[in-house]
Amino acid sequence: MNSIGHTLKLTLFGESHGEIVGALLDGVPAGTEIDIREVQRELDLRRPAPLIGTARHEADIVSARGGILDGRLTGTPLMLLFENTDVRSATYSERGRIPRPGHADYTSFVKYRGYADYRGGGQFSGRMTAPLVAAGAVARQYLRLKGIGVAARVVSIHDVADSGKYTFSQIEHGRFQNEVRCIDPAAASLMRERILDARRKGDSVGGVIECVASGVPPGIGEPFFDSIEGEISKMMFSIPAVKGVEFGSGFRSAALLGSENNDPFVIETANGMKRVATGTNNAGGVNGGITNGMDVVFRVAVKPTSSISVPQRSVDLESMEETATTVKGRHDPCIVPRAVIVVEAACSIALTDLYLRSGFQ
Amino acid sequence: MNSIGHTLKLTLFGESHGEIVGALLDGVPAGTEIDIREVQRELDLRRPAPLIGTARHEADIVSARGGILDGRLTGTPLMLLFENTDVRSATYSERGRIPRPGHADYTSFVKYRGYADYRGGGQFSGRMTAPLVAAGAVARQYLRLKGIGVAARVVSIHDVADSGKYTFSQIEHGRFQNEVRCIDPAAASLMRERILDARRKGDSVGGVIECVASGVPPGIGEPFFDSIEGEISKMMFSIPAVKGVEFGSGFRSAALLGSENNDPFVIETANGMKRVATGTNNAGGVNGGITNGMDVVFRVAVKPTSSISVPQRSVDLESMEETATTVKGRHDPCIVPRAVIVVEAACSIALTDLYLRSGFQ
Amino acid sequence: MNSIGHTLKLTLFGESHGEIVGALLDGVPAGTEIDIREVQRELDLRRPAPLIGTARHEADIVSARGGILDGRLTGTPLMLLFENTDVRSATYSERGRIPRPGHADYTSFVKYRGYADYRGGGQFSGRMTAPLVAAGAVARQYLRLKGIGVAARVVSIHDVADSGKYTFSQIEHGRFQNEVRCIDPAAASLMRERILDARRKGDSVGGVIECVASGVPPGIGEPFFDSIEGEISKMMFSIPAVKGVEFGSGFRSAALLGSENNDPFVIETANGMKRVATGTNNAGGVNGGITNGMDVVFRVAVKPTSSISVPQRSVDLESMEETATTVKGRHDPCIVPRAVIVVEAACSIALTDLYLRSGFQ
Amino acid sequence: MNSIGHTLKLTLFGESHGEIVGALLDGVPAGTEIDIREVQRELDLRRPAPLIGTARHEADIVSARGGILDGRLTGTPLMLLFENTDVRSATYSERGRIPRPGHADYTSFVKYRGYADYRGGGQFSGRMTAPLVAAGAVARQYLRLKGIGVAARVVSIHDVADSGKYTFSQIEHGRFQNEVRCIDPAAASLMRERILDARRKGDSVGGVIECVASGVPPGIGEPFFDSIEGEISKMMFSIPAVKGVEFGSGFRSAALLGSENNDPFVIETANGMKRVATGTNNAGGVNGGITNGMDVVFRVAVKPTSSISVPQRSVDLESMEETATTVKGRHDPCIVPRAVIVVEAACSIALTDLYLRSGFQ
């Protein structure tokens, strides 16, 4: 299904090289004030940076064509529409037959019996993240009204890591200060080098993104299956190129002792009010699938872009012979910086759904 | 919701220290032959091993009380029921007030406004994995009829790793040869030491499990959101203590070049039939969320058991004062070996649902 | 699927002549006080009356075996379990081969490829309404806390109608005063005659039930598809033998003028508060699928019981020859009086789900 | 939710007087050949006839803007889009305050807290049936490939009934022979008189539509809740103005004896093949919620159009005073003839979903 969500329902549609792509978002409460210009600003943050991004330049102008009146949601699905403009399908013409390694060409060929829209990856294209970002930007405006903020950043590109520790505020204000979306400028500069290096070789690099949701009240998340981790991870894995998701100390927790990894409960006092908090946050803000009031923290692994211009081995699906292929077209040598806003969007959508399911409104 | 699945629907019910726990499994095709003794055998593999497991000994006898007649499914939901027997709730009496670090005591207290069944973790207890294993064992019998096998193993406990490479057959036949569920006996023996060491200190350790599904035909998985990775990861995160999930090269892919990480397509010939395969399997058998015919491979990070007997800091939810707590009761110093069969079960359920959704039957 | 509902989720399980039947009810808010004795009292109202009902006598003792602690719901699914006791399957032995007219024997044989549990109708038996009534009784207790009452009554049996007009209070207090569940005693007595007459002939009769939900606030119901009418009718058609559902003036509205059928809006004053009401209630309390604050009123048509002892024509599914059949076993000559409490239960479940979806709690 | 369906998923969007309305249809198998001109022809059948229909004239030109390539579905959602052109919202300006009797103005005002798009009924407008018809036309093309036909007809307008008995073929070929969509020309002519009479008086009339699905294989439909009747009725009640649904002998069955209403099973021989059939079809082709291979037959009651130009009583939602109102704008004196194609569309969608769920493809 191209739909997800329980109380907030998102449906994506369109294809990379079709006429349109878009999102339908159903369930944000009527009356919520939505600023479409802000949605557009988030979309602009998804656009490729010069040199380190692809040369394809979609204007990515979103239009809201239903579900909103005089700046407020009406209760009907919000329709967020994009016209595809800069489409050069000729480049992709042989793809029906010779699947590109790392892409969904072969699997979609099998699944859709040869009838999928293969042009530019069809519905498997990174292009589908444009409507995802638009929908996420709307969800984010709702979350903000509830005091919840979402911010992500690049923590590593290839072998270069940003090893700094940052507060939510530092991430929120610092993440778009450079085109790599990494907080530490020195690391950012090294990361940029890695990307340009990959570009020069016709190759690509991946990286890791960390995302933080702050201000989430305790008690959000549904047992047994619709946990915070379950719902967020499912959403993350729908972002093309994501191959791993971990919460809090994640894979590192597997090598810790229980006495090291357990977060002790403490009492915090703010504005004369006592509240329960934890001394550390190895749980990433989630116990038993439910938020505990601390920041929700998770990381996603983004593989290197599948589209590379060095020759690769593939097969001809008609003759069933092995062959070589070189991926033409315009591609990002590293998708990670552009994926930062996508991860934030996907997180905002999952959180809004779980927030609404918890009976808050 | 305590339900998951689209065409195969699983619902869990009951609480750790209530009268019963169980699973309802709806959607495995009528006529499927199910051997309940085999389900019981898989449940036995979930039971704690002497010394390295908990001292609580539930017999975990499953009874199938609906949905099956003369050894075949009837088309109505299969009811898999467990009576709780070895319950000592007194041990847990103070837990309503002083939440145990790492557990869901506090978050469930908030979510259910103080009305949750807190005894023994209630529905957040590892006990809920007994019905999950039973349901998974049924799904596995269905998958086997389709030529699909699922097998997991421990790849690391704390800082000890099994660095061997194994075929699916080696994993399938070797995984239950020792109580640690690790293939390499030397590593297994070191892992056992780590667990006993933690036990002696009243502490606990975590680890990593790798799971492989073999024989999955290409074309399984739904775009955009109900991908193989999305559905499996959501299922994995519902297993208590899982904090990370990665597919194929996973987090490691973030530090690879595209030319290293892309799996080249090749032609394989088996029984005179040509089929498309990949030369490597960094994708973990999944492109664009859809299976490509290679083994589906993923790893889950299991945190160290939250229940430890060393004193920990916590808070009193009534007085809102900080306090110390020591977790009594009987617990596993390491849940990882027991989780192997749980991971297999959860994977089998997710795969069966996606298999049925693909229109195969 | 044997599940229904969005925020309140109900799953039924078991078979008429299996070991158990039951219901899992997930989503009634934690902390809701539930009196199981009251659930039992509603179940007793579903039991057959002497003479006009079946001679099969299930004690129908419900036990709540999870999801409730000290009389309050805990947030986990409420498990409502029934043991089947008075089962005489021998009577049904030939039914695998010769389908009973009006029953699901043939259709379930085809759907489940011969593997359905055919004994006593399996999951298609009216027996499944016992767990439905139990679940509905729980939902009703929740609705009552919100000021919503649900009451149904028999308006006709065969050609005998109760043509009286009654207030909600009259229906609520009068509906169980006689075994026919008809308000007007004179009509009740004639209806009883019709039923006994049918019984004497080995035949059966049907009837019409009207159900009213009072105190429903305006604004409940979801567009476009999950309307009050859509959700209630879907629930009603799951009750065996229901063949028609209409709201307000229903089929009669088709022969009215718009000026007759439209309900004028008026202002009502109660306790010094003005509220919007309608002068008539031809809409049955629903405009555009959403409640308008008036009583929700609908009627269901119940066909005559399919099980009759006069000989009928059928076929032998093995030899594919026509044959005659006589339905043995113990059956109700008229199911309508017993269905009154079932209709109330089904309505209560649908309303609770829609109430919770509206964000009320 | 504005979505419905399990394996076939339909989402409607847009508003009567917004920029667009449309439908997203997800789940018709990839490769299915779809003729959009045929979809357009069905849309043309929904347009108002001169005199007996509204004077609003939307061209209702559908465009398929995703999910289809070279005339075949690709496996992504099919996007069916309509631009609204003939919009005169000024007419509706006062409706935010004075709700029109019979309409959703008041209920949507309450539900959406005053933020609904009230112009022209917003999402509650009959205009939403244009995308419903388009989606249904696509589903119908799929069903036709499986040998299933769907055809409806007007059986009564106000007090004029077409009392003829017709075969499926007669209905299929005769239903659009006149603008009233009634098979018997004499009845059609009387019906037309009734409509024109209502129009002259500024009033409106309703009617009853019967729909038949022929060629449906036995075994379609899901127990307990997702029955043929449940799914079709839910879909029917989403059509504005539908207030009743009955299957087979429906409400009439309530006054029959079991021996009259039960359909005897018989053996039919066609092309040398024996198959099970029933001698009568009082069940409307459905036993136990599952198709039995006979025609699926149901009737829907359509209330008289709510928009009438005679003065009516209403209230002012601001001043909370009673007032009078006259509905201006352009409206149908009788919606029933136009609803015939809508009922067919809604039935085709529900049937396709259930067909796909049954594992057929």
Side-chain angles (χ1 to χ4, degrees):
Chain A
M1 286 291 154
N2 293 278
S3 300
I4 196 167
H6 180 269
T7 298
L8 179 75
K9 195 150 223 146
L10 170 66
T11 307
L12 298 185
F13 56 87
E15 299 93 7
S16 179
H17 287 55
E19 293 175 43
I20 54 172
V21 295
L24 265 183
L25 192 65
D26 197 2
V28 182
T32 304
E33 227 172 319
I34 297 297
D35 183 347
I36 295 293
R37 290 164 308 176
E38 208 173 310
V39 174
Q40 188 60 54
R41 275 196 293 276
E42 298 206 17
L43 282 161
D44 295 345
L45 291 169
R46 182 189 153 275
R47 298 186 62 194
L51 290 179
I52 70 166
T54 174
R56 177 176 175 180
H57 286 296
E58 287 290 353
D60 277 347
I61 304 301
V62 67
S63 65
R65 304 197 57 194
I68 189 165
L69 191 63
D70 302 333
R72 286 178 185 273
L73 298 183
T74 60
T76 54
L78 177 66
M79 159 63 94
L80 298 159
L81 205 65
F82 298 81
E83 308 276 340
N84 290 329
T85 52
D86 187 21
V87 174
R88 304 188 198 161
S89 286
T91 322
Y92 295 92
S93 55
E94 73 178 292
R95 298 305 152 198
R97 266 179 56 195
I98 302 175
R100 295 166 296 167
H103 280 280
D105 299 352
Y106 170 63
T107 55
S108 69
F109 178 87
V110 173
K111 179 165 189 67
Y112 298 114
R113 312 164 192 188
Y115 295 112
D117 183 348
Y118 54 84
R119 301 169 303 164
Q123 67 176 317
F124 296 92
S125 163
R127 175 97 186 109
M128 298 307 295
T129 59
L132 193 62
V133 165
V138 172
R140 189 204 296 271
Q141 292 186 40
Y142 177 75
L143 288 176
R144 195 179 297 146
L145 295 171
K146 306 302 172 185
I148 300 171
V150 173
R153 65 182 177 108
V154 169
V155 292
S156 74
I157 296 283
H158 199 235
D159 60 349
V160 183
D162 176 345
S163 49
K165 294 267 177 205
Y166 307 100
T167 63
F168 179 74
S169 171
Q170 286 173 313
I171 299 170
E172 197 178 24
H173 295 104
R175 70 202 200 277
F176 296 122
Q177 297 302 322
N178 57 61
E179 62 192 348
V180 179
R181 277 81 208 253
C182 156
I183 308 297
D184 175 17
S189 154
L190 284 170
M191 289 172 182
R192 193 169 186 277
E193 279 315 302
R194 284 296 180 285
I195 298 171
L196 292 177
D197 199 41
R199 179 194 181 85
R200 272 187 296 271
K201 296 175 185 155
D203 214 326
S204 63
V205 286
V208 174
I209 291 169
E210 183 173 277
C211 184
V212 182
S214 191
V216 186
I220 310 289
E222 302 292 315
F224 191 84
F225 297 109
D226 300 354
S227 63
I228 289 283
E229 293 115 322
E231 295 290 30
I232 288 182
S233 72
K234 180 172 169 178
M235 193 60 100
M236 289 302 137
F237 279 115
S238 64
I239 303 173
V242 167
K243 296 300 277 188
V245 177
E246 60 176 9
F247 286 78
S249 54
F251 276 89
R252 207 166 47 82
S253 77
L256 295 177
L257 293 170
S259 56
E260 296 166 330
N261 192 59
N262 276 355
D263 301 310
F265 287 108
V266 298
I267 298 292
E268 265 185 12
T269 310
N271 307 324
M273 293 281 289
K274 286 179 166 186
R275 71 168 205 122
V276 175
T278 61
T280 52
N281 191 10
N282 288 318
V286 190
N287 296 133
I290 300 173
T291 54
N292 62 15
M294 303 299 292
D295 284 355
V296 174
V297 183
F298 62 92
R299 271 170 305 284
V300 302
V302 181
K303 69 172 184 178
T305 323
S306 299
S307 293
I308 53 179
S309 55
V310 296
Q312 299 179 85
R313 292 162 60 202
S314 186
V315 296
D316 184 315
L317 293 176
E318 267 181 42
S319 67
M320 287 298 272
E321 301 290 336
E322 298 192 355
T323 180
T325 185
T326 309
V327 179
K328 298 194 196 75
R330 300 152 292 165
H331 308 289
D332 296 80
C334 182
I335 204 77
V336 187
R338 297 180 64 191
V340 166
I341 192 78
V342 182
V343 166
E344 292 182 4
C347 174
S348 298
I349 293 162
L351 269 186
T352 300
D353 186 31
L354 286 164
Y355 185 91
L356 291 168
R357 290 180 69 174
S358 292
F360 294 91
Q361 234 188 71
Chain B
M1 286 290 154
N2 293 278
S3 300
I4 196 168
H6 180 268
T7 298
L8 180 74
K9 195 150 223 146
L10 170 66
T11 306
L12 298 185
F13 56 86
E15 299 93 5
S16 179
H17 287 56
E19 295 176 43
I20 54 172
V21 296
L24 265 183
L25 192 65
D26 197 3
V28 182
T32 305
E33 227 172 318
I34 297 298
D35 184 345
I36 294 293
R37 289 164 309 177
E38 208 174 309
V39 174
Q40 188 60 55
R41 274 195 294 276
E42 298 205 17
L43 282 161
D44 295 346
L45 291 169
R46 183 190 152 275
R47 298 186 61 195
L51 290 178
I52 70 165
T54 174
R56 176 175 174 181
H57 285 296
E58 288 289 352
D60 278 346
I61 304 300
V62 67
S63 65
R65 304 196 57 193
I68 188 165
L69 191 63
D70 302 333
R72 285 178 186 273
L73 298 183
T74 61
T76 54
L78 177 65
M79 158 64 93
L80 298 159
L81 205 65
F82 298 80
E83 308 275 340
N84 289 330
T85 52
D86 186 22
V87 174
R88 303 188 199 161
S89 286
T91 322
Y92 296 92
S93 55
E94 72 178 293
R95 298 304 152 200
R97 268 179 54 197
I98 302 174
R100 294 167 296 168
H103 280 280
D105 299 351
Y106 170 62
T107 55
S108 70
F109 178 87
V110 173
K111 180 166 187 66
Y112 298 114
R113 312 165 191 186
Y115 295 113
D117 183 348
Y118 53 84
R119 301 169 304 163
Q123 68 176 317
F124 297 91
S125 163
R127 176 99 185 109
M128 298 308 294
T129 58
L132 193 62
V133 165
V138 172
R140 188 205 296 272
Q141 292 187 40
Y142 177 75
L143 289 176
R144 194 179 297 145
L145 295 170
K146 307 302 173 184
I148 300 172
V150 173
R153 65 183 176 108
V154 169
V155 292
S156 74
I157 296 283
H158 199 235
D159 60 348
V160 184
D162 177 345
S163 48
K165 294 268 178 202
Y166 307 100
T167 63
F168 179 74
S169 171
Q170 285 173 313
I171 299 170
E172 197 178 25
H173 294 103
R175 71 202 199 276
F176 296 122
Q177 297 302 322
N178 57 61
E179 62 192 350
V180 179
R181 277 80 207 254
C182 156
I183 308 296
D184 175 18
S189 154
L190 284 170
M191 289 173 182
R192 193 169 187 276
E193 279 315 301
R194 283 296 180 285
I195 297 172
L196 291 177
D197 198 41
R199 180 194 181 85
R200 271 187 296 270
K201 295 175 185 154
D203 214 326
S204 64
V205 287
V208 173
I209 292 169
E210 183 173 278
C211 184
V212 182
S214 192
V216 187
I220 309 289
E222 302 292 315
F224 192 84
F225 298 109
D226 300 353
S227 64
I228 288 284
E229 292 115 323
E231 295 290 31
I232 287 182
S233 72
K234 179 172 170 178
M235 192 61 98
M236 289 303 138
F237 279 115
S238 64
I239 303 173
V242 167
K243 295 300 277 188
V245 177
E246 60 176 10
F247 287 77
S249 54
F251 275 89
R252 208 166 47 80
S253 76
L256 295 177
L257 293 170
S259 57
E260 295 166 329
N261 192 59
N262 277 356
D263 301 310
F265 287 107
V266 298
I267 298 292
E268 266 184 12
T269 309
N271 308 323
M273 293 280 289
K274 285 180 168 186
R275 69 169 206 122
V276 175
T278 61
T280 51
N281 191 11
N282 288 317
V286 190
N287 296 134
I290 301 173
T291 55
N292 63 15
M294 303 299 291
D295 285 355
V296 174
V297 183
F298 62 93
R299 271 170 304 285
V300 302
V302 181
K303 70 173 183 178
T305 323
S306 298
S307 293
I308 52 178
S309 55
V310 296
Q312 298 178 87
R313 291 163 60 202
S314 185
V315 297
D316 184 316
L317 293 177
E318 269 180 41
S319 66
M320 287 298 273
E321 301 291 335
E322 299 193 353
T323 180
T325 186
T326 309
V327 179
K328 298 194 194 75
R330 299 152 293 165
H331 308 289
D332 296 79
C334 182
I335 205 76
V336 187
R338 296 180 65 191
V340 166
I341 192 79
V342 182
V343 166
E344 293 182 4
C347 174
S348 298
I349 294 161
L351 269 186
T352 300
D353 187 31
L354 286 164
Y355 185 91
L356 292 168
R357 291 180 69 175
S358 293
F360 293 92
Q361 235 187 72
Chain C
M1 287 291 155
N2 293 278
S3 301
I4 196 167
H6 180 268
T7 298
L8 181 74
K9 194 151 223 144
L10 170 66
T11 307
L12 297 185
F13 56 87
E15 299 92 5
S16 179
H17 287 55
E19 294 176 42
I20 54 172
V21 296
L24 265 182
L25 192 65
D26 197 3
V28 182
T32 304
E33 226 170 320
I34 297 298
D35 183 346
I36 295 293
R37 289 165 309 178
E38 208 174 309
V39 174
Q40 187 60 55
R41 275 195 294 277
E42 297 204 19
L43 282 162
D44 295 346
L45 291 169
R46 184 188 152 276
R47 298 184 62 194
L51 289 178
I52 70 166
T54 174
R56 175 176 175 181
H57 285 295
E58 287 290 351
D60 277 346
I61 304 300
V62 68
S63 65
R65 303 198 55 195
I68 188 165
L69 191 63
D70 302 334
R72 284 178 187 273
L73 298 183
T74 61
T76 54
L78 179 65
M79 157 65 92
L80 299 159
L81 204 67
F82 299 79
E83 309 275 341
N84 289 331
T85 53
D86 187 22
V87 174
R88 304 188 199 163
S89 287
T91 322
Y92 295 93
S93 57
E94 73 178 292
R95 297 304 152 201
R97 268 178 54 196
I98 303 173
R100 294 167 296 168
H103 281 280
D105 299 351
Y106 170 63
T107 56
S108 70
F109 177 87
V110 173
K111 179 165 189 65
Y112 299 114
R113 312 164 191 186
Y115 294 113
D117 183 348
Y118 52 84
R119 301 169 303 164
Q123 68 177 314
F124 297 91
S125 163
R127 175 97 184 110
M128 297 309 294
T129 58
L132 192 62
V133 166
V138 171
R140 188 206 296 271
Q141 292 186 40
Y142 177 76
L143 289 176
R144 193 179 299 144
L145 296 171
K146 308 301 172 186
I148 300 171
V150 173
R153 64 183 177 105
V154 168
V155 292
S156 75
I157 296 283
H158 199 234
D159 60 349
V160 184
D162 177 345
S163 49
K165 294 265 177 205
Y166 306 100
T167 63
F168 179 75
S169 170
Q170 286 172 313
I171 299 169
E172 196 178 25
H173 295 104
R175 71 202 199 275
F176 296 122
Q177 297 302 322
N178 58 60
E179 61 192 349
V180 179
R181 277 84 207 250
C182 157
I183 308 296
D184 175 18
S189 153
L190 284 170
M191 289 174 182
R192 191 169 187 278
E193 279 316 301
R194 283 297 180 283
I195 298 171
L196 291 177
D197 199 40
R199 179 194 181 85
R200 271 187 296 270
K201 294 175 186 155
D203 214 325
S204 64
V205 286
V208 174
I209 293 170
E210 182 172 277
C211 185
V212 182
S214 191
V216 187
I220 309 288
E222 303 291 316
F224 192 84
F225 298 108
D226 300 353
S227 64
I228 288 284
E229 293 114 322
E231 295 290 31
I232 287 182
S233 72
K234 180 171 169 178
M235 192 61 99
M236 289 303 138
F237 279 116
S238 64
I239 303 173
V242 167
K243 296 300 278 187
V245 177
E246 61 176 9
F247 287 78
S249 55
F251 276 90
R252 207 165 49 80
S253 77
L256 296 177
L257 292 171
S259 56
E260 295 166 329
N261 192 58
N262 278 355
D263 302 309
F265 286 106
V266 298
I267 298 291
E268 265 185 13
T269 309
N271 308 323
M273 294 279 290
K274 286 180 167 184
R275 69 170 206 121
V276 175
T278 62
T280 52
N281 190 11
N282 288 318
V286 190
N287 295 134
I290 300 172
T291 55
N292 63 14
M294 303 300 291
D295 285 354
V296 174
V297 183
F298 62 92
R299 271 170 306 283
V300 302
V302 181
K303 70 173 184 177
T305 322
S306 299
S307 294
I308 53 179
S309 56
V310 296
Q312 298 177 87
R313 290 164 61 203
S314 186
V315 296
D316 184 316
L317 294 176
E318 268 180 43
S319 66
M320 288 297 273
E321 301 290 335
E322 299 193 353
T323 180
T325 186
T326 310
V327 179
K328 298 194 194 73
R330 300 152 292 165
H331 308 287
D332 297 80
C334 181
I335 204 76
V336 187
R338 295 181 65 190
V340 167
I341 191 79
V342 182
V343 166
E344 292 182 6
C347 174
S348 298
I349 294 162
L351 269 186
T352 301
D353 187 30
L354 286 164
Y355 185 91
L356 291 168
R357 291 180 69 175
S358 294
F360 293 92
Q361 232 186 76
Chain D
M1 286 292 153
N2 293 278
S3 301
I4 196 167
H6 180 267
T7 298
L8 180 74
K9 195 150 222 143
L10 170 66
T11 307
L12 297 185
F13 56 87
E15 298 93 6
S16 179
H17 287 55
E19 294 175 42
I20 55 173
V21 296
L24 265 182
L25 192 65
D26 196 3
V28 182
T32 304
E33 227 171 320
I34 297 298
D35 183 347
I36 294 293
R37 289 164 309 178
E38 207 174 310
V39 173
Q40 187 61 56
R41 275 195 293 276
E42 297 205 18
L43 282 161
D44 295 346
L45 291 169
R46 183 188 152 276
R47 298 185 63 195
L51 289 178
I52 70 167
T54 173
R56 176 176 175 181
H57 285 295
E58 287 291 351
D60 277 346
I61 303 300
V62 67
S63 66
R65 304 198 54 196
I68 189 165
L69 191 63
D70 302 334
R72 284 177 187 273
L73 298 183
T74 61
T76 55
L78 178 66
M79 158 64 93
L80 298 159
L81 204 66
F82 299 80
E83 309 274 342
N84 289 330
T85 52
D86 186 22
V87 174
R88 304 188 198 161
S89 286
T91 322
Y92 294 93
S93 55
E94 73 177 295
R95 297 305 153 200
R97 268 179 54 196
I98 302 173
R100 294 167 295 168
H103 280 281
D105 298 352
Y106 169 63
T107 55
S108 70
F109 178 87
V110 173
K111 179 165 188 65
Y112 298 114
R113 312 164 191 185
Y115 295 112
D117 183 349
Y118 54 85
R119 301 168 303 165
Q123 67 177 316
F124 297 91
S125 163
R127 174 96 183 110
M128 297 309 293
T129 59
L132 193 62
V133 165
V138 172
R140 189 206 296 272
Q141 292 187 40
Y142 177 76
L143 289 176
R144 193 179 298 146
L145 295 171
K146 308 300 172 185
I148 300 172
V150 173
R153 64 183 177 105
V154 168
V155 292
S156 75
I157 296 284
H158 199 235
D159 61 348
V160 184
D162 176 345
S163 50
K165 295 266 178 204
Y166 306 100
T167 63
F168 179 75
S169 170
Q170 286 173 314
I171 299 169
E172 197 178 24
H173 296 103
R175 71 202 200 275
F176 296 121
Q177 297 302 322
N178 57 61
E179 61 192 350
V180 180
R181 276 81 207 252
C182 156
I183 308 296
D184 175 18
S189 152
L190 284 170
M191 289 173 182
R192 192 170 186 278
E193 278 315 303
R194 282 296 180 285
I195 296 171
L196 291 177
D197 199 40
R199 178 193 181 85
R200 271 187 297 270
K201 296 175 186 154
D203 214 326
S204 64
V205 287
V208 173
I209 292 170
E210 182 172 278
C211 184
V212 182
S214 191
V216 186
I220 309 288
E222 302 292 315
F224 192 83
F225 297 108
D226 299 353
S227 64
I228 288 284
E229 293 114 322
E231 294 290 31
I232 287 181
S233 72
K234 180 172 169 179
M235 192 62 99
M236 289 303 138
F237 279 115
S238 63
I239 303 172
V242 167
K243 296 300 277 188
V245 177
E246 61 175 9
F247 286 78
S249 54
F251 276 90
R252 206 166 48 81
S253 77
L256 295 177
L257 292 170
S259 56
E260 295 166 330
N261 193 59
N262 277 354
D263 301 310
F265 287 107
V266 299
I267 299 291
E268 265 185 13
T269 309
N271 306 323
M273 293 280 290
K274 285 180 167 185
R275 70 169 206 121
V276 175
T278 62
T280 52
N281 191 11
N282 288 318
V286 189
N287 295 134
I290 301 173
T291 55
N292 63 14
M294 303 299 291
D295 284 355
V296 174
V297 183
F298 62 92
R299 270 170 305 283
V300 302
V302 181
K303 70 173 183 177
T305 322
S306 300
S307 293
I308 53 179
S309 56
V310 296
Q312 300 177 85
R313 290 163 61 203
S314 186
V315 296
D316 184 316
L317 293 176
E318 267 179 42
S319 67
M320 288 298 274
E321 301 290 336
E322 299 194 353
T323 180
T325 185
T326 309
V327 180
K328 298 193 195 73
R330 301 151 290 166
H331 308 287
D332 297 80
C334 182
I335 205 75
V336 187
R338 295 181 65 191
V340 166
I341 191 78
V342 182
V343 166
E344 292 182 5
C347 174
S348 298
I349 293 163
L351 268 186
T352 301
D353 186 31
L354 287 164
Y355 185 90
L356 291 169
R357 291 180 70 175
S358 293
F360 293 92
Q361 233 186 75

